[in-house]
Amino acid sequence: MPALHREETMYSTASRLREFRIQRGISFLSEHLLVRDTLFLMQGISGKYVRFASSKDDEKTLVFSSDSNIAPPTQALIHRLAELGYLYSRVERFIQERERTSGVGMIEQSLCHYMQAQLTEYYRLIAVLETQLSSFHKEGQKAQETAENLETGLSLRRLDVWVNEWRLRMRMMSVCVEGARGAHGGALVNLIHSYTENGDPFVRKFTDELLEEVSRPFFATLHKWLFSGELYDPFEEFFVSADSSLGHIPYVHPSSLLGGISQFPNDNVFGGLNADNDDLSGVRESGQKLWETKYRFRKDMLPSFVGEPFGRKIFSTGKSLNFIRYSCLDSDWVVTREKMSNTGDTLQYGDINGLERSIDTAYQMASHRLFEVFIEKFKLLEHLSALKSYLLLGHGDFADQLMETLGPSLARPANALYRHNLTANLETAIRSSNAQQDPVDVLRRLDARMLEYSHGEIGWDVFTLEYKVSPPIDTVLDQEAMEKYLKLFKHLWQMKRIEKALDRGWMRITGGAKFFVRLPDLAFDWHKIRIVMTEMIHFIRQLEAYCRLEVIECSWKVLIDFLNKKQGDLDALIDAHRNYLDRTTKKILLWHPKPGKEDMLLRQLIEIFAFILQFREATDNFYNYCLSESARRDQRLDEERGVYTGNNEDRVSDPSGIINRIKDYGSGFSERVQTLVQQLQIHPDLDCRFLAIRLSFSDYYRLKKDQQSAQLKANT
């Protein structure tokens, strides 16, 4: 090989390119100078030959010096490396803004802390690179920047390779910064968690590390809420919010609410219940408000890795513990909290399965304890049984005694009744029945009062029983539920009135038949009266059996089965009682689901009751007439024998008017019952259709309808 050719091959491509540029007069900046400027750019600082120029949208653009000559490929590489500086400045500016802003949440503070630690590590990398650049520059000066030094030293391409991972980190941090400007608290955690759904392993790993750090305040708040029922959330970042206007309402013992009455039966059980309900109205609302409105569930603050079902359990668990502590004053709540805290599971993002186990365990323990407190300490089942026995007339002997003692008084005008007389009659009914065996606390809560009345109403229209409840029982037996109980009592009390009126009427017309042997011309009228009254008795007995057996007892069994299971939280208990009460109310009042016809059947039933009472009044008048007529005919027979026992000039009015009224009331009753049965037969509710079968015994009303139709056709 010639010597000249061997000398040329000793030069590298870079050396030959440099000689070519010198020959052509092309001067390029040394890569050492560009690397130094690039290191400045990577920190967001302008260099000597390349600098940042801020635009209006606050995004930095690069400006190259006019007296420097930089090749286009090198400019593109510098642009790529300068991206790190732009992202660095963006993240650093966000951290500084948050440091100067007051009221920044703990989750956002954790985010800033993590990003500051990342920037510190990044800055440490820049310092190492600058050190290498300085040492390379000194060696280059000594070696006069030989080709070998240039090829083995710090170059832009090597710099690009070394910071490639940091470029991805900075991009993720920049994305988080942008999202954090419009997110807060749990929503910010949820936003960061959404970035984990990425196919890039590096992105997933970085996001998991970031989320582990950022979610620590969230899990600290979660731990305190889940295991002690305390909400420490000064910046409102948690998915549970508190109403600061509702403080911790203390429990008040029922005896202090009810006047501190002494033990029954030595003293007056009802002495403390004669006051109006206004003195308990505020207390009655407090327990319900404390449970339903003090804490709110905020779905927008719930992280997606928790999920709404578990979020609801967390919300219920903390609320239950808080309620046990401040409303129920349960001394064992501390033990319950300690048991849940010692489950052995830590709450952290890296162990979602352990988190779910902890939530389930805490939820079950808190719910079970709350059921125990309500049932064992506050005797919820006793109160529900008392409402069933008294307001739903489950105590048959008590209802009969109360009807017997109050009947004469309730027939008078409402403005002639006095509260103390009603409570005295109530006490008499209790002492005369097995109700006296009920717990003293139950009897203390029972009261008799009158509703608001208008002119012309009588006692039957305004009388009602009332059962007073106190916190925390009023959380389940709230004001709306008690109003439904009063509505049911009024309806069932009216049915009991009809039943007693028919019983007394039947005993009168059957027991008094021997007095009318001298009135054979009226025997057929009495026979028809007995037939109609038998029909009425069958109607009211079947209606009462339906209400008692098919509705109340069946609904009660469902409620008791739920209470025995002790599953679910207080909301589930409230819903179970509401379902029990709604089902009972709708079925007893014959509620129709079709809009506009909800109370159609109830109005028809009230009309039927009115016809029965009018029929009873007419039969009493006819009975009195028969007694007078029988006595008059006895006097006439005595006169024929020469015995004078009275004034023969006393004449009894014609009974045809009374008989016609009896016929009208009896036919009106039958027609309306027939219409009611027909509508019940097509009712959507199965129990109501069974009631139609009960009322129409042996298809009596269907046959009667067919006979009426045939008679109508014959007449036409």
Side-chain angles (χ1 to χ4, degrees), residues 689-703:
R689 296 201 294 271
F690 284 153
L691 175 61
I693 297 175
R694 280 177 172 271
L695 297 178
S696 182
F697 58 98
S698 301
D699 286 339
Y700 170 78
Y701 291 105
R702 184 180 63 82
L703 296 175

Side-chain angles (χ1 to χ4, degrees), residues 177-419:
V177 164
E178 187 64 27
R181 298 184 185 276
H184 176 70
L188 177 58
V189 176
N190 198 23
L191 175 67
I192 298 175
H193 179 262
S194 64
Y195 300 148
T196 60
E197 300 175 356
N198 195 295
D200 191 337
F202 174 80
V203 174
R204 284 203 310 271
K205 180 181 178 182
F206 175 80
T207 309
D208 287 339
E209 293 176 355
L210 174 61
L211 200 57
E212 183 75 27
E213 180 71 24
V214 170
S215 61
R216 285 182 181 177
F218 170 82
F219 282 105
T221 306
L222 175 62
H223 188 279
K224 197 170 186 62
W225 172 256
L226 189 63
F227 294 136
S228 64
E230 294 290 346
L231 180 62
Y232 180 73
D233 187 23
F235 301 103
E236 298 182 353
E237 300 174 289
F238 202 52
F239 61 89
V240 178
S241 63
D243 187 353
S244 58
S245 63
L246 293 176
H248 299 313
I249 303 177
Y251 164 70
V252 183
H253 194 273
S255 60
S256 62
L257 293 175
L258 304 177
I261 307 164
S262 58
Q263 294 293 321
F264 174 84
N266 296 326
D267 294 323
N268 183 7
V269 176
F270 309 97
L273 294 178
N274 293 334
D276 294 333
N277 291 333
D278 296 340
D279 58 342
L280 292 179
S281 59
V283 178
R284 173 171 296 174
E285 295 178 353
S286 62
Q288 182 185 7
K289 278 188 176 181
L290 187 61
W291 175 258
E292 294 185 354
T293 63
K294 182 178 181 181
Y295 295 106
R296 295 291 184 185
F297 182 83
R298 297 193 296 176
K299 187 177 179 180
D300 57 326
M301 288 292 182
L302 179 66
S304 57
F305 60 82
V306 176
E308 186 172 359
F310 281 101
R312 293 287 180 182
K313 284 187 176 182
I314 295 171
F315 175 68
S316 176
T317 303
K319 192 167 66 166
S320 298
L321 289 175
N322 188 276
F323 193 81
I324 290 172
R325 179 179 184 180
Y326 293 109
S327 294
C328 303
L329 294 183
D330 182 18
S331 58
D332 297 333
W333 79 270
V334 177
V335 178
T336 304
R337 180 190 61 178
E338 290 176 351
K339 289 180 180 178
M340 290 185 293
S341 299
N342 295 330
T343 55
D345 294 328
T346 57
L347 304 183
Q348 56 184 357
Y349 173 75
D351 187 12
I352 300 298
N353 293 330
L355 172 64
E356 294 178 354
R357 288 194 302 269
S358 299
I359 293 172
D360 283 333
T361 303
Y363 174 77
Q364 293 173 5
M365 296 180 67
S367 300
H368 184 76
R369 183 61 188 172
L370 190 58
F371 268 76
E372 288 181 347
V373 169
F374 266 84
I375 295 176
E376 297 177 5
K377 181 177 180 179
F378 295 103
K379 311 297 182 184
L380 174 63
L381 192 55
E382 285 188 3
H383 296 301
L384 293 175
S385 299
L387 289 169
K388 176 173 173 283
S389 300
Y390 295 107
L391 268 64
L392 301 185
L393 304 183
H395 272 331
D397 58 339
F398 164 77
D400 293 339
Q401 290 294 331
L402 187 62
M403 184 73 66
E404 191 71 24
T405 56
L406 281 176
S409 300
L410 297 182
R412 295 185 297 177
N415 56 8
L417 299 177
Y418 297 97
R419 181 98 178 251

Side-chain angles (χ1 to χ4, degrees), residues 71-95:
T74 305
Q75 292 184 10
L77 186 56
I78 293 175
H79 269 285
R80 178 178 171 83
L81 292 170
E83 179 189 2
L84 282 163
Y86 163 69
L87 297 176
Y88 176 90
S89 300
R90 190 177 187 185
V91 174
E92 187 180 35
R93 184 168 60 251
F94 171 80
I95 296 174

Side-chain angles (χ1 to χ4, degrees), residues 574-586:
I574 294 173
D575 291 338
H577 177 260
R578 285 177 179 172
N579 293 334
Y580 155 76
L581 199 54
D582 289 342
R583 181 180 186 274
T584 304
T585 303
K586 291 178 180 179

Side-chain angles (χ1 to χ4, degrees), residues 40-52:
F40 285 116
L41 295 175
M42 290 170 61
Q43 303 173 59
I45 305 172
S46 297
K48 181 177 180 181
Y49 303 101
V50 185
R51 67 179 185 275
F52 283 114

